[in-house]
Amino acid sequence: MTDVQKIRNFFIPCVNDVFGDASLDFSGIVKFITDHSLWYDVTQRLECGEKNDTVECWNERLTDVLTRGSKELAVAQECVERYKDFVNNGKYNPTPLVFNKFDRVRSEDLLNCPTRTPRKFDLCVNNQFAKDEVENPIGNFDSLIGFVQRKMKCSDCDCGEVLQADSDFASFFVGEGLQCDSCWSTRLAALVKSQSTLSETTKKCAATTNDEVFLKEETMRVY
């Protein structure tokens, strides 16, 4: 079992326990962050690697990817604390966190962002995987889209690879003066590290100017 698997296997139940709501499922979101995000890759290799692998470093880095003031940031930081205790003492605390603060969400995308509905983006991604006869590694991808829209930031992101996917889109994006973090679709695609199996597909679906990639729902393959 790799370190990433160990961390994922700890954080999935921890996040659900700390939220204290059995109806919530963060498994796909946790897997996306640990296995597929540029943020985790940069944090683990560069920012909080080796001698700087501390609770303080990881919790500070979490503010670069999760919205400040959100419940999700508080929960993630609490789970970092509990992971340290689990590693050092073999103890796990499943007690839910008591939330006293307002839950902050991101503001709406700018009006000049590309037109992308979550449903169309989800269809595009899943149909691209279906064409390639490969299973989407994030089963509840629509939940991830919603989470990126409302709760995630992209401080480490560079939209270069996204813009390379379609020259017409690149011209529009640059002409409108947009930044990678400005719009949820480009933010999601840029959050994916280049080594991930999600990389090519999400970047294509974020940058396309061809509506044909948004196939009809009935053509989707259900795994």
Side-chain angles (χ1 to χ4, degrees):
M1 181 180 293
T2 66
D3 288 341
V4 170
Q5 287 175 308
K6 290 178 181 177
I7 291 170
R8 185 201 320 134
N9 291 346
F10 177 89
F11 271 80
I12 288 174
C14 182
V15 169
N16 287 324
D17 288 343
V18 174
F19 256 105
D21 186 344
S23 67
L24 299 176
D25 180 9
F26 288 91
S27 57
I29 294 165
V30 172
K31 184 178 181 182
F32 172 77
I33 292 174
T34 58
D35 293 41
H36 300 279
S37 77
L38 175 65
W39 173 87
Y40 184 86
D41 186 53
V42 170
T43 304
Q44 190 272 331
R45 289 190 303 104
L46 303 175
E47 300 292 338
C48 301
E50 298 181 357
K51 294 181 180 180
N52 207 28
D53 187 9
T54 64
V55 167
E56 293 76 18
C57 183
W58 280 92
N59 279 350
E60 178 61 29
R61 279 287 293 164
L62 281 168
T63 64
D64 290 333
V65 74
L66 297 175
T67 303
R68 288 182 184 269
S70 67
K71 290 181 179 180
E72 286 77 7
L73 176 59
V75 167
Q77 291 177 329
E78 177 66 20
C79 282
V80 170
E81 296 274 1
R82 296 186 187 190
Y83 182 71
K84 177 184 177 182
D85 193 42
F86 176 74
V87 170
N88 292 341
N89 304 312
K91 297 179 181 179
Y92 174 65
N93 176 13
T95 306
L97 199 63
V98 177
F99 297 102
N100 297 316
K101 297 180 179 180
F102 174 75
D103 183 26
R104 188 180 298 277
V105 298
R106 284 189 64 112
S107 57
E108 294 291 326
D109 281 353
L110 301 175
L111 292 178
N112 56 342
C113 280
T115 303
R116 293 286 183 274
T117 65
R119 185 59 186 154
K120 277 191 173 183
F121 195 92
D122 184 52
L123 286 171
C124 178
V125 169
N126 282 298
N127 276 300
Q128 291 298 317
F129 276 111
K131 281 183 177 181
D132 297 334
E133 298 186 346
V134 177
E135 185 174 357
N136 187 336
I138 307 298
N140 49 346
F141 196 80
D142 56 339
S143 296
L144 173 63
I145 292 173
F147 190 77
V148 171
Q149 281 183 296
R150 297 179 295 107
K151 300 292 185 175
M152 294 192 77
K153 301 190 292 184
C154 196
S155 301
D156 296 321
C157 292
D158 177 353
C159 254
E161 291 185 0
V162 180
L163 300 183
Q164 288 174 11
D166 190 295
S167 58
D168 290 337
F169 179 81
S171 297
F172 161 80
F173 198 81
V174 173
E176 292 291 333
L178 294 168
Q179 301 296 319
C180 215
D181 191 57
S182 302
C183 309
W184 70 263
S185 54
T186 52
R187 180 164 65 249
L188 191 158
L191 277 165
V192 181
K193 63 183 180 181
S194 58
Q195 304 93 325
S196 167
T197 53
L198 285 168
S199 180
E200 182 178 353
T201 296
T202 54
K203 288 173 175 58
K204 179 177 181 179
C205 290
T208 185
T209 54
N210 179 7
D211 281 343
E212 290 183 6
V213 302
F214 300 114
L215 302 179
K216 294 181 180 180
E217 185 170 355
E218 55 265 29
T219 67
M220 274 187 65
R221 177 174 301 179
V222 179
Y223 289 99

